[in-house]
Amino acid sequence: MTIRQLAALAGVSIGTVSRALRNDTRISAPTRERVQQLALAYNYQPNRLTQAILTNTSHLLGVLVPDMGYYFWARICKGIHAMAFQESYQVITLETGIELSRIRAGIDALLSLRVDGILLMGSCNTQPVTNEALLGVWSRSIPLLTIDMIPVESEVDRVQCNEEQMAQSAVDYLITLGHQQIAYFGPTSIAQRRLAAVQRALALRKLDTSLLIDVPFTTIKDHSADEATDILTPLLQLRPIPTAVIAWEDYYALLLMKQCAQRGIRIPHDLSILGYANTRYCLAASPSLTSIEQHPEQLGTEAFHLLLKRMREGIDPANHTPEIRRFEGQLIRRGSCARPRVLQDLSHLTQATHCPVCSHDTA
């Protein structure tokens, strides 16, 4: 049903219907009640773009996410959607990838829909979101907030995990178990903050910070686990050989566990492995994966509350002091970490060996 049809049924003008639905007191109480009852009976849904023009608010929020299939970001979206439902907001979620051009196109698309606020999340974009890309946001005084570690040229409100605290928790736990040679591996080009935080935690404990394996993001994410690049051989070639590994996130940790099983390296007897994100797959691993819970739903909830605060305050987003809220992670101890056993000569494991899991020879 259109507003014109609703007006004909009520016997009033379109303007009267619009005001009655907004409960405008300039319309008599009996007319307001009649229009509202008809709208309810015929399930009338106002045009949101029209309402946004009339009221200067759309009750729409825009969310830009690099990859909807990435479990961590999906859980953040879950927290955002839960709070938006409670506050009678609708959420438009767009997948942008990691390219700046697509992020900018996503921002422009949300502006065309007259969203009241924008949540921008991600950690994979190595090129900062430029001020030029945000000109439309600033000119319309639309609040924008970033979640996780996506770089932005100007300082904006931000909700993110406390990388320093999480790194210290991981390193301290492994030291408590007796580990002194702790390696880090992951895509350093897109996760500089996590790498830097782990290296600072190691340096603070007077441990070697050079045990590092840089795994390009695409070599892992663009292949299945069976086709993924060999990440174990570079690890075994480090000197001294690490007794524990901190992985950038759980997927990398689980892939390393699989390759260890194929080479006859026992987890955690020969090598301890610790991941980030505490995804549902941690419990499916054998042994189950020790990981850092980052509470992404809480990140989404807090991001929504901060954005809602900015929208209600009506502060010019280009001329206010940005707020940064950091949340601590929680170490979830499982079976993939134990006291270290010094691995002596593992050179034979870089050659073809019998796979104890699949009962076949692997290279």
Side-chain angles (χ1 to χ4, degrees):
M1 170 172 282
T2 67
I3 192 172
R4 187 179 302 277
Q5 292 170 324
L6 183 60
L9 281 173
V12 296
S13 68
I14 293 175
T16 298
V17 169
S18 178
R19 294 187 182 93
L21 293 176
R22 297 201 306 272
N23 216 27
D24 193 324
T25 55
R26 289 177 293 178
I27 306 301
S28 67
T31 300
R32 275 183 285 153
E33 184 178 356
R34 184 171 76 257
V35 170
Q36 291 170 6
Q37 286 180 348
L38 285 169
L40 182 62
Y42 285 90
N43 194 29
Y44 169 73
Q45 300 294 327
N47 185 299
R48 282 194 171 271
L49 288 178
T50 301
Q51 292 293 310
I53 294 172
L54 293 173
T55 64
N56 202 31
T57 180
S58 63
H59 269 250
L60 292 174
L61 297 181
V63 175
L64 298 180
V65 56
D67 184 353
M68 290 295 294
Y70 187 50
Y71 187 58
F72 180 72
W73 289 322
R75 288 175 62 188
I76 292 177
C77 288
K78 184 176 180 180
I80 295 170
H81 279 257
M83 295 311 305
F85 181 80
Q86 289 186 21
E87 296 291 338
S88 299
Y89 275 84
Q90 291 189 345
V91 181
I92 300 172
T93 304
L94 302 179
E95 186 178 62
T96 62
I98 64 175
E99 298 83 8
L100 179 59
S101 60
R102 290 188 59 182
I103 293 174
R104 180 170 184 171
I107 292 173
D108 291 342
L110 293 176
L111 293 177
S112 70
L113 294 171
R114 295 181 175 269
V115 296
D116 293 337
I118 295 176
L119 295 165
L120 179 60
M121 72 175 73
S123 61
C124 295
N125 180 35
T126 57
Q127 188 177 6
V129 179
T130 63
N131 290 333
E132 182 183 5
L134 297 176
L135 280 177
V137 178
W138 303 148
S139 65
R140 293 170 174 82
S141 297
I142 296 175
L144 179 140
L145 181 147
T146 64
I147 306 174
D148 206 8
M149 297 181 289
I150 185 168
V152 179
E153 201 167 69
S154 292
E155 288 298 321
V156 298
D157 290 321
R158 183 183 297 273
V159 174
Q160 64 187 49
C161 296
N162 189 331
E163 291 292 333
E164 301 297 323
Q165 175 268 332
M166 293 191 300
Q168 290 171 16
S169 295
V171 169
D172 286 347
Y173 173 60
L174 293 173
I175 290 176
T176 300
L177 292 176
H179 294 279
Q180 294 295 306
Q181 287 79 43
I182 302 173
Y184 174 91
F185 87 100
T188 59
S189 62
I190 65 171
Q192 298 97 331
R193 292 188 185 182
R194 181 155 299 167
L195 168 61
V198 171
Q199 289 181 323
R200 281 191 290 268
L202 291 170
L204 188 63
R205 277 71 174 176
K206 311 299 183 185
L207 297 183
D208 190 350
T209 63
S210 67
L211 300 178
L212 168 67
I213 299 298
D214 181 14
V215 184
F217 185 69
T218 54
T219 62
I220 298 294
K221 291 297 185 181
D222 291 350
H223 297 84
S224 69
D226 290 332
E227 299 172 338
T229 186
D230 178 7
I231 56 179
L232 181 56
T233 297
L235 183 69
L236 298 176
Q237 292 173 345
L238 291 175
R239 293 295 181 271
I241 298 175
T243 60
V245 176
I246 298 175
W248 171 57
E249 54 106 28
D250 290 343
Y251 180 82
Y252 284 63
L254 295 170
L255 184 59
L256 179 59
M257 290 176 70
K258 176 173 182 174
Q259 294 189 5
C260 283
Q262 293 172 341
R263 301 286 185 88
I265 298 177
R266 297 168 300 168
I267 308 297
H269 304 291
D270 298 324
L271 183 68
S272 289
I273 299 178
L274 186 150
Y276 271 77
N278 192 37
T279 62
R280 66 182 70 175
Y281 308 109
C282 292
L283 292 174
S286 181
S288 56
L289 178 65
T290 297
S291 187
I292 303 288
E293 170 60 63
Q294 297 177 249
H295 306 291
E297 288 91 352
Q298 186 178 356
L299 286 175
T301 296
E302 191 64 26
F304 176 86
H305 283 310
L306 180 53
L307 188 68
L308 184 63
K309 173 186 173 184
R310 295 305 190 199
M311 292 188 297
R312 289 174 173 173
E313 289 173 344
I315 295 176
D316 182 355
N319 294 294
H320 80 281
T321 302
E323 184 174 345
I324 299 177
R325 298 183 183 179
R326 294 184 176 89
F327 288 84
E328 295 190 353
Q330 178 185 2
L331 178 68
I332 306 298
R333 303 181 185 186
R334 297 194 180 96
S336 65
C337 294
R339 297 191 63 81
R341 292 178 57 189
V342 178
L343 295 179
Q344 300 298 330
D345 183 12
L346 293 182
S347 59
H348 65 286
L349 294 175
T350 63
Q351 309 299 322
T353 185
H354 184 70
C355 175
V357 176
C358 305
S359 299
H360 65 274
D361 288 338
T362 60

